[in-house]
Amino acid sequence: MNGPGIGLRDHLSRLRDRSDIVSIDDRVHWDEEAAAVASVAAREGGPAVIFEETPGRVRFVAGAFGGPDQLAAHDREPWDRIGDALTAGEDVDAVPSTHAYHDLLDLLAGRGTEPVPRSDAEPAATPDPTLDLHTLGLPTLSANARPLVSLGVLAVDLGPDAGTTWVPVRGDVRGSSRLRIILPRAFHDRLERAQGTPADGTADAAATGVSVLLGVSAPVLLAALQGWIGDRVRTDTPELAAGLAPVAVSRVADRIVPRDAEVRIDGVLEPTADPEPAHRGDRRSATTTAVDAATAADEWRAAWEATCATATAVVRADRIATREDPIVAFAPLGAPLSDDTQIVSLLEAARLSRRVNGYWGVSPVRWVRLPPEGGLGICLVASEILYAGFEWQLANTLFSFSNLFDKVLIVDENSDPTDLAKALDDMWVKAHPANDWAFSEPHAPSATATRYRRDGETGSRLHIAATWDPRWDEEYIAPRVTFEQSFPENVRESVRERWDEFGLDRE
């Protein structure tokens, strides 16, 4: 996509235009207080929150990529802020306030790329020799916890063939110049191969120059996740980001970075020793027998960590650069409806939609949704039912493509993705517990996103066919009831008049 790059500040400006963000001008401490407020705001479906006054160098914004509970009455959808972030460079009057779920799903599922326009312009963040990792004042999630990086991106050059890639990271501050980060194991292994380091970790890996970027735009964050947490790893994440929305970049040493990043921590990456055997925690990977022991011991994990194997590394910070009055987006990890959960919900749905619609040579699936309200542990899919028994095939295909969930709810193809309550209602009205609720044998691996069965034991998976049986004659299928069909004209006209009196939108 051509045009000037968009940054986090452009997105926040768009949220102000939508009246979907509030500023807290009172002083809020980075140690636990900001995260506590952000958690309540996320749980209650409130607007995004900017913390204008904090003791550290940076300001915070929580909920910038979050959204409200679909089961409560709101005039915004859970994915609207992400849609706003991807269209922040467009005229606000030309962009609808509510974004069509299908459009976002198609954009992310397309995984299109665009060349990244190169420029000699300097990054917006400038180095400050007085800063260290502590004086940044990054938020903590609880008392006595370490300052947190929750929505971070790592920029690193993988050599002349692959070039620069951007990688999602979560991390915490370990002293004034050390940042311990969790990153996808696929990147860890790819970096080892690029350095020619033995895969068994017996030799020390060479230090690699990197930049940890905070306060990045949605295209950068989404592309980093798309490239490294899916089933098919891609290193061309800058080009993926440019395919989502305009991105401006600058060069720092041997790597390119988003020019508008609010905070940039330059240093060297020091991979740790080979990870310990897998730990069956609430957000561990079921795709590998090795995840980092330190990762497993953490109480809070980013939602993306449930989608892939992870590894640990340490960044030794040599230089910290910030924009003037920097602002950093963060997610209160573990809170219901937090930013990281909303992002992974949309990305995983797009990935599954692309995979499943390419599986049979036709495209029966209209949409896929992993409701954050369900903690990513249930997958909703609206699909045409091609033949009797197709529901079973569809559910098992989805289970084979993702380890996040252990429940699949299949609804009719004309179901509305914005109406979660209706989908859950169909589960009880259309699906007979004896005939349409199908449990597998209790030998399936436990889902990675659920908060139960965290001891590694196997169990059952469930799929529910809440659709009309394709073998039924049309006369046995209940007709769709509409406002026009249900009431006489005089009643409809009276309702319209009262609707207008209350100033409500007829749409």
Side-chain angles (χ1 to χ4, degrees):
M1 295 185 179
N2 298 321
I6 58 175
L8 178 62
R9 298 189 187 204
D10 298 304
H11 171 43
L12 301 184
S13 177
R14 176 57 53 86
L15 293 183
R16 292 188 186 95
D17 294 336
R18 305 291 196 203
S19 299
D20 199 17
I21 193 167
V22 296
S23 295
I24 297 179
D25 296 323
D26 293 342
R27 189 178 178 86
V28 178
H29 205 285
W30 52 261
D31 189 7
E32 188 181 8
E33 289 183 0
V37 174
S39 296
V40 173
R43 184 173 63 248
E44 299 300 325
V49 180
I50 295 180
F51 300 92
E52 298 284 4
E53 295 293 335
T54 68
R57 177 64 176 272
V58 301
R59 298 174 295 150
F60 315 135
V61 58
F65 308 113
D69 185 346
Q70 261 195 306
L71 295 176
H74 293 280
D75 58 359
R76 298 272 278 166
E77 299 297 343
W79 50 83
D80 278 340
R81 289 179 202 159
I82 296 176
D84 282 340
L86 294 175
T87 57
E90 302 176 27
D91 183 356
V92 65
D93 295 327
V95 179
S97 59
T98 297
H99 297 264
Y101 183 71
H102 296 90
D103 293 344
L104 276 176
L105 211 62
D106 290 344
L107 174 64
L108 294 170
R111 293 165 65 95
T113 61
E114 291 283 345
V116 178
R118 301 305 169 91
S119 171
D120 295 330
E122 292 294 320
T126 56
D128 185 343
T130 67
L131 281 177
D132 62 33
L133 294 176
H134 276 305
T135 56
L136 280 176
L138 298 174
T140 66
L141 294 181
S142 70
N144 302 317
R146 299 178 186 275
L148 172 77
V149 169
S150 56
L151 297 173
V153 170
L154 183 80
V156 60
D157 184 74
L158 293 177
D161 294 331
T164 295
T165 192
W166 296 336
V167 186
V169 294
R170 171 182 65 86
D172 52 67
V173 174
R174 299 295 179 102
S176 61
S177 63
R178 294 180 75 250
L179 185 67
R180 171 181 164 271
I181 59 173
I182 310 301
L183 36 72
R185 182 62 189 260
F187 166 75
H188 178 276
D189 295 344
R190 177 68 175 78
L191 184 62
E192 282 188 338
R193 291 195 299 271
Q195 295 173 330
T197 328
D200 60 6
T202 55
D204 292 334
T208 303
V210 299
S211 295
V212 177
L213 307 159
L214 310 179
V216 296
S217 64
V220 174
L221 184 58
L222 293 172
L225 289 163
Q226 278 189 310
W228 289 101
I229 70 170
D231 48 347
R232 299 171 184 173
V233 168
R234 294 180 59 166
T235 61
D236 59 341
T237 47
E239 289 76 17
L240 277 173
L244 294 173
V247 175
V249 299
S250 298
R251 182 164 290 277
V252 174
D254 60 348
R255 53 199 175 272
I256 61 173
V257 299
R259 187 184 307 159
D260 293 317
E262 297 285 326
V263 175
R264 191 183 74 251
I265 303 168
D266 298 328
V268 293
L269 184 70
E270 301 171 341
T272 60
D274 197 49
E276 298 291 333
H279 176 277
R280 296 291 183 176
D282 64 32
R283 286 197 187 277
R284 74 276 173 256
S285 170
T287 61
T288 183
T289 57
V291 296
D292 188 83
T295 304
D298 285 347
E299 183 177 354
W300 298 282
R301 318 243 185 124
W304 64 261
E305 293 175 62
T307 69
C308 64
T310 58
T312 301
V314 172
V315 174
R316 189 177 71 245
D318 299 327
R319 179 176 65 173
I320 298 178
T322 69
R323 297 185 65 173
E324 183 178 354
D325 201 16
I327 184 165
V328 169
F330 85 99
L333 302 181
L337 309 178
S338 60
D339 300 50
D340 59 312
T341 304
Q342 296 281 4
I343 290 171
V344 171
S345 165
L346 196 56
L347 288 176
E348 185 71 356
R351 185 182 72 86
L352 291 174
S353 178
R354 184 186 73 253
R355 290 292 308 275
V356 78
N357 271 332
Y359 188 71
W360 286 281
V362 293
S363 300
V365 171
R366 299 296 180 262
W367 52 264
V368 178
R369 179 112 174 90
L370 278 68
E373 295 85 351
L376 308 182
I378 182 172
C379 175
L380 276 61
V381 54
S383 176
E384 177 186 1
I385 304 304
L386 300 179
Y387 43 79
F390 179 73
E391 300 96 329
W392 180 87
Q393 282 193 332
L394 176 59
N396 280 282
T397 301
L398 289 166
F399 285 135
S400 70
F401 287 157
S402 178
N403 295 303
L404 279 176
F405 47 83
D406 55 10
K407 298 171 288 295
V408 170
L409 173 60
I410 304 171
V411 296
D412 286 314
E413 61 179 314
N414 56 6
S415 297
D416 186 350
T418 67
D419 197 345
L420 178 59
K422 177 64 168 59
L424 297 178
D425 184 61
D426 284 351
M427 179 173 68
W428 303 109
V429 174
K430 293 184 180 180
H432 193 288
N435 302 324
D436 302 312
W437 289 50
F439 291 87
S440 73
E441 294 294 325
H443 308 307
S446 53
T448 59
T450 57
R451 294 186 177 275
Y452 51 82
R453 213 162 16 109
R454 291 184 283 181
D455 54 3
E457 293 185 1
T458 59
S460 295
R461 287 170 171 166
L462 166 67
H463 86 261
I464 304 170
T467 63
W468 299 121
D469 193 316
R471 295 168 293 186
W472 288 6
D473 292 334
E474 199 70 30
E475 61 186 286
Y476 295 110
I477 297 178
R480 181 171 294 276
V481 178
T482 66
F483 176 68
E484 287 75 13
Q485 294 173 327
S486 302
F487 303 97
E489 176 57 32
N490 63 325
V491 174
R492 298 200 301 268
E493 186 58 34
S494 176
V495 169
R496 293 188 189 101
E497 291 174 357
R498 297 300 302 275
W499 204 260
D500 292 337
E501 288 177 13
F502 288 124
L504 300 173
D505 188 349
R506 289 197 183 189
E507 296 298 324

